[in-house]
Amino acid sequence: MGILAPGEPRFLHVGEGAKARRIAFLRRAASAGDGVGLVWLGGFRSIMRGEKASYLERAAGEAGRAYVRFDYSGHGESEGCFDDSTIGLWLEEALAVVRALTEGPQILIGSSMGGWLALLAARALFAAGESARLHGLVLIAPAVDFTEKLIWDRMPAKARAALKAKGVWPRPSRYRPEPDPISRELIEEGRRHLLLDATIRSHCPVHILQGMQDEDVPWRHALTLIEHMHGDPATLTLIKDGDHRLSRPEDLARIWAAVEGME
């Protein structure tokens, strides 16, 4: 695995037939022995060149760690139409990245939606007898079950009716001028992957970092998550003045400390 420059994405082929797509990724090889590698799982409509992902690239390089980041289909430099994407497709891509682009145990670092996908990936790896690939999970404002708990349950009646009739709802976004297109398929397919209706197993240590000023994923959502986690070591760090992004220098330092604390 050669060291890949930040400006040179490669592509991983995922899926077959009509659902085949090329997933863009950036990969850094370990330069300090055979330590635990890192895999970045970004958030809903975020890209692998975002602030937290890029910070972790630098930190991983200084520590000599292997590090992989990628764009989900319909995001960034990857193929695919966002409107046609689902949690299941993005989970398939996350698992393909872990299996094809990493060696040895990994820490999955999941931000927002990526936190949900990290837990789903951990469950899938365990079920496949591949739990040795998991060293730990670092979850940043994990938006577990967000399609149901944070979108559908909060939607006004008119928005639900529009979604059912038109197949898509233009949800206003805090982070970009154009709305987020929420498809009916995203909501309905997301129900196949809900976790908060049962005990959640991570099969490895977990550290959750959650801002208490988060307007997208309320901090009590993180409490609900950790209440459902039994049988595996789990730590929750609440950051009183932290927002959803947790991208300030002090927040980034906390994220890296959580990564290093997995050793």
Side-chain angles (χ1 to χ4, degrees):
M1 295 184 181
I3 295 178
L4 201 64
E8 300 175 3
R10 292 181 184 173
F11 294 88
L12 176 67
H13 292 264
V14 180
E16 298 179 354
K19 292 189 176 181
R21 62 268 189 211
R22 296 196 314 154
I23 301 303
F25 70 89
L26 297 169
R27 181 174 61 187
R28 172 182 289 277
S31 59
D34 299 322
V36 175
L38 311 176
V39 179
W40 172 255
L41 302 177
F44 186 71
R45 298 199 76 187
S46 70
I47 59 174
M48 65 178 173
R49 298 183 188 273
E51 192 169 4
K52 289 191 290 294
S54 297
Y55 167 82
L56 288 168
E57 163 74 24
R58 296 189 295 272
E62 292 171 2
R65 288 179 179 267
Y67 176 60
V68 180
R69 47 183 164 146
F70 68 100
D71 284 330
Y72 306 116
S73 55
H75 291 67
E77 297 162 78
S78 288
E79 292 182 345
C81 176
F82 180 87
D83 293 6
D84 297 332
S85 297
T86 62
I87 300 301
L89 285 178
W90 294 328
L91 174 60
E92 181 185 21
E93 293 156 13
L95 288 167
V97 165
V98 171
R99 287 168 168 152
L101 303 179
T102 71
E103 297 176 356
Q106 303 294 311
I107 297 173
L108 307 186
I109 309 170
S111 177
S112 194
M113 179 181 78
W116 184 11
L117 291 174
L119 287 166
L120 290 170
R123 182 175 69 176
L125 290 169
F126 176 79
E130 300 177 79
S131 56
R133 288 184 173 272
L134 294 170
H135 185 79
L137 307 180
V138 174
L139 310 181
I140 306 160
V144 176
D145 295 3
F146 82 94
T147 53
E148 194 73 12
K149 301 296 185 182
L150 304 179
I151 295 182
W152 179 256
D153 287 354
R154 295 180 173 186
M155 286 177 66
K158 288 185 178 180
R160 289 188 181 186
L163 182 66
K164 291 178 179 179
K166 300 178 181 179
V168 66
W169 171 50
R171 180 192 186 209
S173 171
R174 287 184 224 280
Y175 305 108
R176 56 192 66 85
E178 71 277 10
D180 294 329
I182 304 300
S183 71
R184 182 171 55 204
E185 186 176 8
L186 176 70
I187 298 295
E188 293 178 350
E189 198 276 343
R191 290 176 179 142
R192 303 178 191 174
H193 307 284
L194 300 179
L195 294 174
L196 292 174
D197 56 355
T199 296
I200 298 172
R201 292 294 309 275
S202 58
H203 309 288
C204 62
V206 178
H207 192 146
I208 301 168
L209 298 102
Q210 175 69 51
M212 296 184 74
Q213 305 304 315
D214 190 335
E215 297 183 38
D216 296 295
V217 182
W219 64 271
R220 293 188 183 278
H221 192 73
L223 290 182
T224 300
L225 170 60
I226 206 163
E227 287 171 354
H228 282 74
M229 301 183 73
H230 304 291
D232 303 295
T235 300
L236 171 62
T237 298
L238 293 175
I239 303 165
K240 188 173 182 179
D241 60 347
D243 61 10
H244 183 62
R245 291 191 169 186
L246 291 181
S247 294
R248 301 169 302 178
E250 60 267 35
D251 298 325
L252 298 175
R254 288 187 182 101
I255 293 168
W256 186 248
V259 170
E260 292 193 308
M262 288 289 172
E263 294 299 338

PDB file of all heavy atoms in Angstrom, residues 41-67:
ATOM      1  N   LEU A  41     -15.368   7.527   8.233  1.00  0.00           N
ATOM      2  CA  LEU A  41     -16.724   7.413   7.694  1.00  0.00           C
ATOM      3  C   LEU A  41     -17.408   8.757   7.893  1.00  0.00           C
ATOM      4  O   LEU A  41     -17.763   9.133   9.014  1.00  0.00           O
ATOM      5  CB  LEU A  41     -17.497   6.306   8.418  1.00  0.00           C
ATOM      6  CG  LEU A  41     -16.882   4.898   8.370  1.00  0.00           C
ATOM      7  CD1 LEU A  41     -17.724   3.930   9.202  1.00  0.00           C
ATOM      8  CD2 LEU A  41     -16.764   4.400   6.951  1.00  0.00           C
ATOM      9  N   GLY A  42     -17.570   9.481   6.817  1.00  0.00           N
ATOM     10  CA  GLY A  42     -18.090  10.836   6.906  1.00  0.00           C
ATOM     11  C   GLY A  42     -19.587  10.911   7.121  1.00  0.00           C
ATOM     12  O   GLY A  42     -20.292   9.898   7.200  1.00  0.00           O
ATOM     13  N   GLY A  43     -20.080  12.119   7.179  1.00  0.00           N
ATOM     14  CA  GLY A  43     -21.491  12.355   7.447  1.00  0.00           C
ATOM     15  C   GLY A  43     -22.324  12.514   6.188  1.00  0.00           C
ATOM     16  O   GLY A  43     -21.829  12.440   5.058  1.00  0.00           O
ATOM     17  N   PHE A  44     -23.591  12.743   6.392  1.00  0.00           N
ATOM     18  CA  PHE A  44     -24.579  12.925   5.326  1.00  0.00           C
ATOM     19  C   PHE A  44     -24.222  14.146   4.498  1.00  0.00           C
ATOM     20  O   PHE A  44     -24.129  15.261   5.021  1.00  0.00           O
ATOM     21  CB  PHE A  44     -25.956  13.091   5.981  1.00  0.00           C
ATOM     22  CG  PHE A  44     -27.121  13.139   5.051  1.00  0.00           C
ATOM     23  CD1 PHE A  44     -27.539  12.012   4.371  1.00  0.00           C
ATOM     24  CD2 PHE A  44     -27.842  14.312   4.894  1.00  0.00           C
ATOM     25  CE1 PHE A  44     -28.649  12.043   3.537  1.00  0.00           C
ATOM     26  CE2 PHE A  44     -28.957  14.363   4.066  1.00  0.00           C
ATOM     27  CZ  PHE A  44     -29.357  13.221   3.380  1.00  0.00           C
ATOM     28  N   ARG A  45     -23.938  13.941   3.208  1.00  0.00           N
ATOM     29  CA  ARG A  45     -23.570  14.987   2.249  1.00  0.00           C
ATOM     30  C   ARG A  45     -22.216  15.631   2.552  1.00  0.00           C
ATOM     31  O   ARG A  45     -21.899  16.698   2.023  1.00  0.00           O
ATOM     32  CB  ARG A  45     -24.662  16.055   2.134  1.00  0.00           C
ATOM     33  CG  ARG A  45     -25.995  15.523   1.618  1.00  0.00           C
ATOM     34  CD  ARG A  45     -26.871  16.649   1.078  1.00  0.00           C
ATOM     35  NE  ARG A  45     -26.405  17.087  -0.237  1.00  0.00           N
ATOM     36  CZ  ARG A  45     -26.907  18.154  -0.878  1.00  0.00           C
ATOM     37  NH1 ARG A  45     -27.867  18.883  -0.314  1.00  0.00           N
ATOM     38  NH2 ARG A  45     -26.444  18.484  -2.061  1.00  0.00           N
ATOM     39  N   SER A  46     -21.403  14.998   3.372  1.00  0.00           N
ATOM     40  CA  SER A  46     -20.050  15.496   3.596  1.00  0.00           C
ATOM     41  C   SER A  46     -19.093  14.787   2.651  1.00  0.00           C
ATOM     42  O   SER A  46     -19.447  13.783   2.019  1.00  0.00           O
ATOM     43  CB  SER A  46     -19.625  15.291   5.048  1.00  0.00           C
ATOM     44  OG  SER A  46     -19.433  13.915   5.317  1.00  0.00           O
ATOM     45  N   ILE A  47     -17.862  15.297   2.539  1.00  0.00           N
ATOM     46  CA  ILE A  47     -16.895  14.735   1.606  1.00  0.00           C
ATOM     47  C   ILE A  47     -15.603  14.370   2.333  1.00  0.00           C
ATOM     48  O   ILE A  47     -15.329  14.858   3.423  1.00  0.00           O
ATOM     49  CB  ILE A  47     -16.588  15.717   0.458  1.00  0.00           C
ATOM     50  CG1 ILE A  47     -16.041  17.043   1.006  1.00  0.00           C
ATOM     51  CG2 ILE A  47     -17.840  15.955  -0.386  1.00  0.00           C
ATOM     52  CD1 ILE A  47     -15.587  18.011  -0.064  1.00  0.00           C
ATOM     53  N   MET A  48     -14.810  13.520   1.700  1.00  0.00           N
ATOM     54  CA  MET A  48     -13.590  13.011   2.329  1.00  0.00           C
ATOM     55  C   MET A  48     -12.507  14.079   2.450  1.00  0.00           C
ATOM     56  O   MET A  48     -11.511  13.869   3.149  1.00  0.00           O
ATOM     57  CB  MET A  48     -13.040  11.819   1.549  1.00  0.00           C
ATOM     58  CG  MET A  48     -12.567  12.132   0.150  1.00  0.00           C
ATOM     59  SD  MET A  48     -11.876  10.650  -0.629  1.00  0.00           S
ATOM     60  CE  MET A  48     -11.604  11.240  -2.300  1.00  0.00           C
ATOM     61  N   ARG A  49     -12.680  15.209   1.788  1.00  0.00           N
ATOM     62  CA  ARG A  49     -11.708  16.297   1.890  1.00  0.00           C
ATOM     63  C   ARG A  49     -12.158  17.361   2.887  1.00  0.00           C
ATOM     64  O   ARG A  49     -11.625  18.474   2.894  1.00  0.00           O
ATOM     65  CB  ARG A  49     -11.467  16.923   0.518  1.00  0.00           C
ATOM     66  CG  ARG A  49     -10.879  15.954  -0.507  1.00  0.00           C
ATOM     67  CD  ARG A  49     -10.605  16.648  -1.831  1.00  0.00           C
ATOM     68  NE  ARG A  49     -10.224  15.713  -2.867  1.00  0.00           N
ATOM     69  CZ  ARG A  49      -8.976  15.288  -3.104  1.00  0.00           C
ATOM     70  NH1 ARG A  49      -7.999  15.729  -2.344  1.00  0.00           N
ATOM     71  NH2 ARG A  49      -8.715  14.451  -4.089  1.00  0.00           N
ATOM     72  N   GLY A  50     -13.141  17.033   3.722  1.00  0.00           N
ATOM     73  CA  GLY A  50     -13.622  17.970   4.728  1.00  0.00           C
ATOM     74  C   GLY A  50     -12.602  18.207   5.828  1.00  0.00           C
ATOM     75  O   GLY A  50     -11.547  17.560   5.903  1.00  0.00           O
ATOM     76  N   GLU A  51     -12.938  19.129   6.724  1.00  0.00           N
ATOM     77  CA  GLU A  51     -11.985  19.593   7.728  1.00  0.00           C
ATOM     78  C   GLU A  51     -11.544  18.488   8.688  1.00  0.00           C
ATOM     79  O   GLU A  51     -10.354  18.301   8.934  1.00  0.00           O
ATOM     80  CB  GLU A  51     -12.592  20.760   8.516  1.00  0.00           C
ATOM     81  CG  GLU A  51     -11.593  21.495   9.384  1.00  0.00           C
ATOM     82  CD  GLU A  51     -12.148  22.791   9.937  1.00  0.00           C
ATOM     83  OE1 GLU A  51     -13.337  23.081   9.701  1.00  0.00           O
ATOM     84  OE2 GLU A  51     -11.389  23.512  10.606  1.00  0.00           O
ATOM     85  N   LYS A  52     -12.482  17.742   9.248  1.00  0.00           N
ATOM     86  CA  LYS A  52     -12.106  16.694  10.212  1.00  0.00           C
ATOM     87  C   LYS A  52     -11.327  15.575   9.517  1.00  0.00           C
ATOM     88  O   LYS A  52     -10.322  15.087  10.040  1.00  0.00           O
ATOM     89  CB  LYS A  52     -13.348  16.139  10.902  1.00  0.00           C
ATOM     90  CG  LYS A  52     -13.990  17.102  11.894  1.00  0.00           C
ATOM     91  CD  LYS A  52     -15.054  16.441  12.743  1.00  0.00           C
ATOM     92  CE  LYS A  52     -16.292  16.077  11.975  1.00  0.00           C
ATOM     93  NZ  LYS A  52     -17.035  17.251  11.470  1.00  0.00           N
ATOM     94  N   ALA A  53     -11.796  15.177   8.342  1.00  0.00           N
ATOM     95  CA  ALA A  53     -11.111  14.103   7.619  1.00  0.00           C
ATOM     96  C   ALA A  53      -9.693  14.511   7.242  1.00  0.00           C
ATOM     97  O   ALA A  53      -8.765  13.695   7.316  1.00  0.00           O
ATOM     98  CB  ALA A  53     -11.905  13.734   6.366  1.00  0.00           C
ATOM     99  N   SER A  54      -9.508  15.765   6.851  1.00  0.00           N
ATOM    100  CA  SER A  54      -8.176  16.242   6.480  1.00  0.00           C
ATOM    101  C   SER A  54      -7.278  16.382   7.702  1.00  0.00           C
ATOM    102  O   SER A  54      -6.071  16.095   7.637  1.00  0.00           O
ATOM    103  CB  SER A  54      -8.295  17.579   5.743  1.00  0.00           C
ATOM    104  OG  SER A  54      -9.022  17.421   4.538  1.00  0.00           O
ATOM    105  N   TYR A  55      -7.851  16.819   8.811  1.00  0.00           N
ATOM    106  CA  TYR A  55      -7.066  16.881  10.053  1.00  0.00           C
ATOM    107  C   TYR A  55      -6.552  15.500  10.434  1.00  0.00           C
ATOM    108  O   TYR A  55      -5.382  15.328  10.816  1.00  0.00           O
ATOM    109  CB  TYR A  55      -7.930  17.448  11.185  1.00  0.00           C
ATOM    110  CG  TYR A  55      -7.319  17.251  12.558  1.00  0.00           C
ATOM    111  CD1 TYR A  55      -6.354  18.117  13.055  1.00  0.00           C
ATOM    112  CD2 TYR A  55      -7.706  16.164  13.347  1.00  0.00           C
ATOM    113  CE1 TYR A  55      -5.780  17.910  14.299  1.00  0.00           C
ATOM    114  CE2 TYR A  55      -7.133  15.950  14.594  1.00  0.00           C
ATOM    115  CZ  TYR A  55      -6.177  16.827  15.066  1.00  0.00           C
ATOM    116  OH  TYR A  55      -5.608  16.613  16.292  1.00  0.00           O
ATOM    117  N   LEU A  56      -7.415  14.500  10.331  1.00  0.00           N
ATOM    118  CA  LEU A  56      -7.011  13.145  10.690  1.00  0.00           C
ATOM    119  C   LEU A  56      -5.950  12.614   9.738  1.00  0.00           C
ATOM    120  O   LEU A  56      -5.094  11.817  10.142  1.00  0.00           O
ATOM    121  CB  LEU A  56      -8.231  12.226  10.699  1.00  0.00           C
ATOM    122  CG  LEU A  56      -9.196  12.460  11.871  1.00  0.00           C
ATOM    123  CD1 LEU A  56     -10.506  11.726  11.635  1.00  0.00           C
ATOM    124  CD2 LEU A  56      -8.559  12.013  13.187  1.00  0.00           C
ATOM    125  N   GLU A  57      -5.969  13.042   8.484  1.00  0.00           N
ATOM    126  CA  GLU A  57      -4.912  12.676   7.532  1.00  0.00           C
ATOM    127  C   GLU A  57      -3.556  13.152   8.046  1.00  0.00           C
ATOM    128  O   GLU A  57      -2.581  12.397   8.062  1.00  0.00           O
ATOM    129  CB  GLU A  57      -5.221  13.289   6.168  1.00  0.00           C
ATOM    130  CG  GLU A  57      -4.055  13.353   5.205  1.00  0.00           C
ATOM    131  CD  GLU A  57      -3.697  12.011   4.611  1.00  0.00           C
ATOM    132  OE1 GLU A  57      -4.575  11.134   4.555  1.00  0.00           O
ATOM    133  OE2 GLU A  57      -2.538  11.838   4.184  1.00  0.00           O
ATOM    134  N   ARG A  58      -3.522  14.416   8.488  1.00  0.00           N
ATOM    135  CA  ARG A  58      -2.254  14.960   8.993  1.00  0.00           C
ATOM    136  C   ARG A  58      -1.830  14.263  10.277  1.00  0.00           C
ATOM    137  O   ARG A  58      -0.654  13.913  10.454  1.00  0.00           O
ATOM    138  CB  ARG A  58      -2.402  16.473   9.215  1.00  0.00           C
ATOM    139  CG  ARG A  58      -2.657  17.259   7.934  1.00  0.00           C
ATOM    140  CD  ARG A  58      -2.578  18.753   8.163  1.00  0.00           C
ATOM    141  NE  ARG A  58      -3.642  19.239   9.052  1.00  0.00           N
ATOM    142  CZ  ARG A  58      -4.833  19.618   8.631  1.00  0.00           C
ATOM    143  NH1 ARG A  58      -5.152  19.562   7.349  1.00  0.00           N
ATOM    144  NH2 ARG A  58      -5.735  20.076   9.493  1.00  0.00           N
ATOM    145  N   ALA A  59      -2.785  14.072  11.184  1.00  0.00           N
ATOM    146  CA  ALA A  59      -2.463  13.433  12.457  1.00  0.00           C
ATOM    147  C   ALA A  59      -1.998  11.992  12.248  1.00  0.00           C
ATOM    148  O   ALA A  59      -1.047  11.531  12.890  1.00  0.00           O
ATOM    149  CB  ALA A  59      -3.668  13.472  13.388  1.00  0.00           C
ATOM    150  N   ALA A  60      -2.669  11.285  11.347  1.00  0.00           N
ATOM    151  CA  ALA A  60      -2.276   9.907  11.062  1.00  0.00           C
ATOM    152  C   ALA A  60      -0.873   9.865  10.469  1.00  0.00           C
ATOM    153  O   ALA A  60      -0.062   8.979  10.799  1.00  0.00           O
ATOM    154  CB  ALA A  60      -3.272   9.254  10.110  1.00  0.00           C
ATOM    155  N   GLY A  61      -0.576  10.824   9.592  1.00  0.00           N
ATOM    156  CA  GLY A  61       0.756  10.874   8.997  1.00  0.00           C
ATOM    157  C   GLY A  61       1.839  11.105  10.036  1.00  0.00           C
ATOM    158  O   GLY A  61       2.893  10.448  10.021  1.00  0.00           O
ATOM    159  N   GLU A  62       1.577  12.020  10.962  1.00  0.00           N
ATOM    160  CA  GLU A  62       2.568  12.301  12.009  1.00  0.00           C
ATOM    161  C   GLU A  62       2.760  11.104  12.931  1.00  0.00           C
ATOM    162  O   GLU A  62       3.860  10.881  13.451  1.00  0.00           O
ATOM    163  CB  GLU A  62       2.121  13.526  12.816  1.00  0.00           C
ATOM    164  CG  GLU A  62       2.167  14.822  12.020  1.00  0.00           C
ATOM    165  CD  GLU A  62       1.532  15.982  12.752  1.00  0.00           C
ATOM    166  OE1 GLU A  62       1.076  15.771  13.914  1.00  0.00           O
ATOM    167  OE2 GLU A  62       1.473  17.083  12.176  1.00  0.00           O
ATOM    168  N   ALA A  63       1.705  10.324  13.126  1.00  0.00           N
ATOM    169  CA  ALA A  63       1.782   9.157  14.004  1.00  0.00           C
ATOM    170  C   ALA A  63       2.230   7.893  13.274  1.00  0.00           C
ATOM    171  O   ALA A  63       2.410   6.846  13.900  1.00  0.00           O
ATOM    172  CB  ALA A  63       0.427   8.914  14.663  1.00  0.00           C
ATOM    173  N   GLY A  64       2.371   7.983  11.957  1.00  0.00           N
ATOM    174  CA  GLY A  64       2.776   6.821  11.173  1.00  0.00           C
ATOM    175  C   GLY A  64       1.697   5.780  10.988  1.00  0.00           C
ATOM    176  O   GLY A  64       1.980   4.616  10.706  1.00  0.00           O
ATOM    177  N   ARG A  65       0.438   6.195  11.115  1.00  0.00           N
ATOM    178  CA  ARG A  65      -0.678   5.247  11.018  1.00  0.00           C
ATOM    179  C   ARG A  65      -1.213   5.158   9.592  1.00  0.00           C
ATOM    180  O   ARG A  65      -1.223   6.144   8.852  1.00  0.00           O
ATOM    181  CB  ARG A  65      -1.829   5.690  11.917  1.00  0.00           C
ATOM    182  CG  ARG A  65      -1.619   5.533  13.414  1.00  0.00           C
ATOM    183  CD  ARG A  65      -2.867   6.042  14.099  1.00  0.00           C
ATOM    184  NE  ARG A  65      -2.838   5.935  15.547  1.00  0.00           N
ATOM    185  CZ  ARG A  65      -3.330   4.899  16.225  1.00  0.00           C
ATOM    186  NH1 ARG A  65      -3.840   3.881  15.583  1.00  0.00           N
ATOM    187  NH2 ARG A  65      -3.309   4.897  17.545  1.00  0.00           N
ATOM    188  N   ALA A  66      -1.705   3.981   9.226  1.00  0.00           N
ATOM    189  CA  ALA A  66      -2.459   3.838   7.986  1.00  0.00           C
ATOM    190  C   ALA A  66      -3.805   4.550   8.152  1.00  0.00           C
ATOM    191  O   ALA A  66      -4.388   4.555   9.233  1.00  0.00           O
ATOM    192  CB  ALA A  66      -2.676   2.360   7.672  1.00  0.00           C
ATOM    193  N   TYR A  67      -4.280   5.134   7.056  1.00  0.00           N
ATOM    194  CA  TYR A  67      -5.520   5.910   7.125  1.00  0.00           C
ATOM    195  C   TYR A  67      -6.213   5.872   5.771  1.00  0.00           C
ATOM    196  O   TYR A  67      -5.575   6.085   4.731  1.00  0.00           O
ATOM    197  CB  TYR A  67      -5.191   7.357   7.507  1.00  0.00           C
ATOM    198  CG  TYR A  67      -6.365   8.318   7.531  1.00  0.00           C
ATOM    199  CD1 TYR A  67      -7.456   8.109   8.363  1.00  0.00           C
ATOM    200  CD2 TYR A  67      -6.360   9.469   6.727  1.00  0.00           C
ATOM    201  CE1 TYR A  67      -8.509   9.005   8.396  1.00  0.00           C
ATOM    202  CE2 TYR A  67      -7.405  10.373   6.758  1.00  0.00           C
ATOM    203  CZ  TYR A  67      -8.485  10.135   7.597  1.00  0.00           C
ATOM    204  OH  TYR A  67      -9.528  11.026   7.624  1.00  0.00           O
TER     205      TYR A  67
END
